[in-house]
Amino acid sequence: MTIAHHPGEDLLAAYAAGTVDLGQRVAIATHLAACESCRKWVRAMEQVGGALIADMAPSALTEGALARTLAQIDEPPPPARRARPVCEDAPENLPRFVKAYEFGRWRQVAPRIAMRPIRLPEPGPTRVFLLKAGAGTKLIEHAHTGFEMTCVLAGAFRREGERYGPGDFDFGDEEVNHEPHIERGDDCVSLVAMQGELRWQGLLGRLIQPFIRL
Ligand SMILES: [Zn+2]
């Protein structure tokens, strides 16, 4: 897998610092599962963060902390965690931790475009879903009111002369008006994390917008 497009360093730093919400974590971690260089970068950032914490003066134990710790020693150990079942028909390239979430059904949102919601255990402002677009499909030009993170799982799309294939990560925000098209050959399946709404441009976009709820 040759990966050409990665999350920006600001995004990776926010991930390492734990300041992104679960939906964004899922999208970034899906890229990390495929991308060794970003994994190394995040690990290095986490070590720097850990070193900073280790350098700080130790704070006094809060009142009762020792008593609580001693009480826990006498408690029976928690039952062993059972591995959560995974979604059997999720795309092969989806990391296992994502497959363990609850999936909705595939839903047609436009001709040759379908989406499947992924229900996260912590509701947050970022929605996560799988997006499948038929080979050769041209998505109409659209903009976002928030942002959109896309991690390609299968197939490929092209946008502004760049190719995005499996493992590639694309970040779109309010500034971007793109008109991606799906390569011929295979359907393109991506994991998408999105905030805000899509705004479709042009007459056709305005006509079909009421029917599209991603
Ligand atoms: Zn990467």
Side-chain angles (χ1 to χ4, degrees), residues 7 37 45 52 62 66 69 71 74 77 81 88 90-91 108 113 120 122 126 134 144 155 161 166 169 182 185 210:
S37 68
M45 283 297 289
L52 287 175
T62 55
L66 180 61
T69 306
D74 293 332
R81 276 224 212 137
E88 299 289 343
Q108 200 81 18
I113 301 173
L120 302 179
E122 295 168 22
T126 307
H144 306 270
F169 187 94
I182 310 300

Coordinates of all heavy atoms in Angstrom, one line a residue, residues 7 37 45 52 62 66 69 71 74 77 81 88 90-91 108 113 120 122 126 134 144 155 161 166 169 182 185 210:
P7 N -2.6 12.9 7.4 CA -3.2 14.0 8.2 C -2.1 15.0 8.5 O -0.9 14.7 8.5 CB -3.6 13.3 9.5 CG -3.6 11.8 9.3 CD -2.6 11.6 8.2
S37 N 4.6 5.5 9.0 CA 5.3 6.8 9.3 C 4.5 7.7 10.2 O 5.1 8.3 11.1 CB 5.7 7.5 8.0 OG 4.6 8.0 7.3
M45 N 5.5 11.8 19.6 CA 4.8 12.9 20.2 C 4.3 12.5 21.6 O 4.4 13.2 22.6 CB 3.6 13.4 19.4 CG 3.9 14.2 18.2 SD 4.7 15.8 18.7 CE 3.3 16.6 19.4
L52 N 7.3 15.3 29.5 CA 6.9 16.6 30.1 C 6.2 16.3 31.4 O 6.4 17.0 32.4 CB 6.0 17.4 29.1 CG 6.7 18.0 27.9 CD1 5.7 18.6 27.0 CD2 7.8 19.0 28.4
T62 N -4.3 13.1 46.8 CA -5.5 13.8 47.4 C -5.9 13.0 48.6 O -5.6 11.8 48.8 CB -6.7 13.7 46.3 OG1 -6.8 12.3 45.9 CG2 -6.4 14.6 45.1
L66 N -5.0 7.2 49.5 CA -4.3 5.9 50.0 C -5.3 4.9 50.5 O -5.2 3.7 50.2 CB -3.3 6.3 51.1 CG -2.5 5.1 51.7 CD1 -1.7 4.4 50.6 CD2 -1.6 5.6 52.9
T69 N -7.0 3.3 47.6 CA -6.1 2.3 47.0 C -6.0 1.0 47.8 O -6.1 -0.1 47.3 CB -4.7 2.9 46.9 OG1 -4.8 4.1 46.2 CG2 -3.7 2.0 46.1
A71 N -8.2 -0.1 49.9 CA -9.5 -0.8 49.8 C -9.6 -1.6 48.5 O -10.2 -2.7 48.5 CB -10.7 0.2 49.9
D74 N -8.3 -5.2 48.4 CA -9.1 -6.3 48.9 C -10.2 -6.6 48.0 O -10.9 -7.6 48.3 CB -9.6 -5.9 50.3 CG -8.5 -5.7 51.3 OD1 -7.5 -6.4 51.1 OD2 -8.6 -4.9 52.2
P77 N -10.9 -9.1 41.7 CA -10.5 -8.5 40.4 C -11.7 -8.4 39.5 O -12.6 -9.3 39.6 CB -9.4 -9.6 39.9 CG -9.7 -10.8 40.6 CD -10.3 -10.5 41.9
R81 N -12.4 -9.1 30.5 CA -13.1 -8.5 29.4 C -13.3 -9.4 28.3 O -12.3 -10.0 27.8 CB -12.4 -7.2 29.0 CG -12.7 -6.0 29.8 CD -13.0 -4.9 28.9 NE -12.6 -3.6 29.5 CZ -11.9 -2.7 28.9 NH1 -11.6 -2.8 27.6 NH2 -11.5 -1.6 29.5
E88 N -19.5 -8.4 10.8 CA -18.9 -9.4 9.9 C -18.8 -8.9 8.4 O -17.9 -9.3 7.7 CB -19.9 -10.7 9.8 CG -20.1 -11.4 11.2 CD -18.8 -12.1 11.6 OE1 -18.0 -12.4 10.7 OE2 -18.7 -12.4 12.8
A90 N -18.2 -5.8 7.4 CA -17.5 -4.5 7.3 C -16.4 -4.6 6.3 O -15.9 -5.8 6.1 CB -17.0 -4.1 8.6
P91 N -15.9 -3.5 5.6 CA -14.8 -3.7 4.7 C -13.6 -4.3 5.3 O -13.3 -4.0 6.5 CB -14.6 -2.2 4.2 CG -15.8 -1.5 4.6 CD -16.4 -2.2 5.8
Q108 N -29.0 4.2 0.5 CA -28.7 5.0 -0.8 C -28.9 6.5 -0.5 O -30.0 6.8 0.0 CB -29.7 4.5 -1.9 CG -29.2 4.7 -3.3 CD -28.2 3.7 -3.7 OE1 -28.1 2.6 -3.2 NE2 -27.5 4.0 -4.8
I113 N -24.4 6.2 -4.8 CA -23.7 6.6 -3.6 C -24.5 6.1 -2.4 O -25.7 6.4 -2.3 CB -23.5 8.1 -3.5 CG1 -22.8 8.6 -4.8 CG2 -22.8 8.5 -2.2 CD1 -22.7 10.1 -4.8
L120 N -21.1 5.3 17.4 CA -20.0 5.4 18.4 C -20.7 5.4 19.8 O -21.8 5.9 20.0 CB -19.2 6.7 18.3 CG -18.5 6.8 16.9 CD1 -17.8 8.1 16.8 CD2 -17.6 5.6 16.6
E122 N -19.8 7.0 22.4 CA -19.9 8.4 23.0 C -20.4 9.3 21.9 O -19.8 9.6 21.0 CB -18.5 8.9 23.3 CG -17.7 8.2 24.4 CD -16.3 8.7 24.4 OE1 -16.0 9.8 24.0 OE2 -15.5 7.9 24.9
T126 N -19.0 14.9 16.0 CA -18.5 14.3 14.7 C -19.2 13.0 14.4 O -19.2 12.1 15.2 CB -16.9 14.0 14.9 OG1 -16.3 15.2 15.3 CG2 -16.4 13.6 13.5
G134 N -19.9 4.3 -6.5 CA -19.7 3.3 -7.7 C -18.5 3.8 -8.5 O -18.2 5.0 -8.7
H144 N -18.5 22.2 2.6 CA -18.9 21.8 3.9 C -19.1 23.0 4.8 O -18.4 24.0 4.6 CB -17.8 20.9 4.5 CG -17.4 19.8 3.7 ND1 -17.9 18.6 3.7 CD2 -16.4 19.7 2.7 CE1 -17.4 17.8 2.8 NE2 -16.4 18.5 2.2
G155 N -10.6 0.9 -3.4 CA -10.9 1.7 -4.6 C -10.1 3.0 -4.5 O -9.1 3.1 -3.7
G161 N -6.3 16.7 -9.5 CA -5.1 16.1 -10.1 C -4.4 15.1 -9.1 O -3.4 14.5 -9.5
P166 N -6.2 3.4 -1.2 CA -6.3 2.8 0.2 C -5.3 3.4 1.1 O -4.1 3.4 0.8 CB -6.1 1.3 -0.1 CG -6.7 1.2 -1.5 CD -6.3 2.4 -2.2
F169 N -5.4 9.8 3.3 CA -6.3 10.6 4.2 C -6.5 11.9 3.6 O -5.6 12.6 3.1 CB -5.5 10.7 5.6 CG -6.3 11.4 6.7 CD1 -7.0 10.6 7.6 CD2 -6.3 12.8 6.8 CE1 -7.8 11.2 8.6 CE2 -7.1 13.4 7.8 CZ -7.8 12.6 8.7
I182 N -14.6 9.2 -8.9 CA -14.2 7.8 -8.5 C -13.5 7.2 -9.7 O -14.0 7.3 -10.8 CB -15.4 7.0 -8.0 CG1 -16.2 7.7 -7.0 CG2 -14.9 5.6 -7.5 CD1 -15.5 8.1 -5.7
G185 N -13.1 0.9 -12.5 CA -12.6 -0.3 -12.0 C -13.3 -0.8 -10.8 O -14.3 -1.6 -10.9
P210 N -32.3 18.3 -0.7 CA -33.3 17.9 0.3 C -33.3 16.4 0.5 O -33.8 15.9 1.6 CB -34.6 18.4 -0.3 CG -34.3 19.4 -1.3 CD -32.9 19.1 -1.8

